[in-house]
Amino acid sequence: MATALTTRVNTAWRLAATGLAFTVFGICGLLFSIVVFPLAWLWPHRASRQRTVTLVIHWFFRALVRALQWLGVMKLDVHGAEQLRNGGPAIVVANHPTYLDVMVLLALTPRACCVVKHAHWGNPCFWGIVRAAEYISNADPAELVEAGARQLAAGYTMIIFPEGTRSPAKDRLHPFSRGFAHMALNVGAPILPVLMDCDPPAFTKTMRWYDVPPRAFCMKVAVLPAVSAARYVPPGAPTMLAARALTNGIETHITDHLLQYGFLEARN
């Protein structure tokens, strides 16, 4: 009886804490959009403005992750984070099991730029953030590659979820799109494969924010060694074939490691 009561109290607490965290995030995002974003565009120097906004976002998400840990909502298990902090400009290619993946990666990466859904550019909680930080919309594939190349040249790490949306299930990934491959071939930047997992599952494609798991969920992040395009692309291959080969190679590389780490369930 006592154990069941304790479980219900713990679940109710984590539900309330999760709701509070999402409320704070929404309010802060809205304030950023209507206050910080207009002020940021008065900043005369574009490069320093973007650096400042990017660092503000990084520290905000670090604080939010710490708050979720302190509240007992989540745990964080990270391996290889020094490559995100000190490795220089790279293209982070990650699987996308939960809604919180981008928050965690931004909290781990001080100089980051993201490819985000075009729908977020009209979201009242996000539109100011994505513009002030000069994030990149996924609406136009050609512009995505060109803008990504500019951000890499400026010293930023690009964070890309090539599935395009959250993974459909624990045993499946969406097919990878080729934008990151064209970007890597265009600028010669290394690719950092990143494995993401959430145990027990939370904020997945099929769950609502209030579907609180039976215990605090653990976000697991494993940053693999950098991979060059030359590993998968035959010398002299035409651009389209090279992008296809690189996309398939990285998708297989990530899928194999997800299975090895136990982040992805093998299909029968």
Side-chain angles (χ1 to χ4, degrees):
M1 182 67 179
T3 301
L5 178 60
T6 301
T7 301
R8 287 199 295 270
V9 170
N10 182 266
T11 300
W13 161 251
R14 287 185 290 108
L15 176 61
T18 300
L20 176 62
F22 270 90
T23 300
V24 169
F25 173 69
I27 292 172
C28 289
L30 185 61
L31 289 175
F32 194 104
S33 293
I34 64 177
V35 177
V36 178
F37 172 63
L39 291 176
W41 281 103
L42 296 176
W43 200 303
H45 192 259
R46 179 175 179 177
S48 64
R49 176 186 68 210
Q50 185 182 6
R51 278 197 306 271
T52 301
V53 170
T54 299
L55 281 174
V56 168
I57 292 170
H58 166 67
W59 284 103
F60 171 72
F61 281 124
R62 281 194 64 171
L64 188 56
V65 167
R66 294 259 180 103
L68 289 172
Q69 291 175 279
W70 181 78
L71 290 168
V73 174
M74 72 173 283
K75 300 176 182 178
L76 186 61
D77 181 12
V78 183
H79 298 276
E82 64 280 354
Q83 295 185 84
L84 298 174
R85 294 192 298 266
N86 308 318
I91 302 172
V92 168
V93 178
N95 63 307
H96 195 8
T98 85
Y99 185 76
L100 302 181
D101 299 332
V102 66
M103 176 190 76
V104 171
L105 287 179
L106 286 172
L108 295 171
T109 313
R111 288 177 61 84
C113 182
C114 291
V115 174
V116 299
K117 286 184 179 180
H118 184 66
H120 288 331
W121 294 75
N123 186 304
C125 293
F126 296 133
W127 71 270
I129 296 174
V130 297
R131 286 171 171 80
E134 299 193 31
Y135 290 168
I136 301 169
S137 168
N138 65 356
D140 185 338
E143 174 58 24
L144 184 154
V145 174
E146 293 176 6
R150 290 195 297 270
Q151 296 296 344
L152 288 161
Y156 291 91
T157 289
M158 288 298 309
I159 296 176
I160 301 177
F161 299 99
E163 291 181 85
T165 186
R166 281 169 287 175
S167 304
K170 184 71 174 176
D171 63 347
R172 284 188 295 140
L173 302 180
H174 290 292
F176 282 16
S177 61
R178 300 178 192 173
F180 78 89
H182 283 286
M183 200 180 297
L185 293 167
N186 192 359
V187 300
I191 295 171
L192 270 184
V194 174
L195 314 180
M196 308 287 296
D197 186 45
C198 183
D199 180 40
F203 308 105
T204 66
K205 189 74 172 177
T206 58
M207 298 173 70
R208 304 295 185 183
W209 72 267
Y210 49 79
D211 293 328
V212 178
R215 54 184 169 83
F217 61 86
C218 181
M219 289 292 299
K220 300 177 182 179
V221 183
V223 185
L224 303 181
V227 177
S228 70
R231 177 172 174 177
Y232 296 107
V233 177
T239 300
M240 293 303 295
L241 291 179
R244 183 186 303 167
L246 181 55
T247 302
N248 292 340
I250 294 297
E251 182 175 353
T252 300
H253 183 69
I254 287 178
T255 301
D256 287 347
H257 280 82
L258 287 169
L259 289 167
Q260 291 173 21
Y261 277 68
F263 292 178
L264 190 66
E265 295 178 356
R267 302 181 70 178
N268 295 324

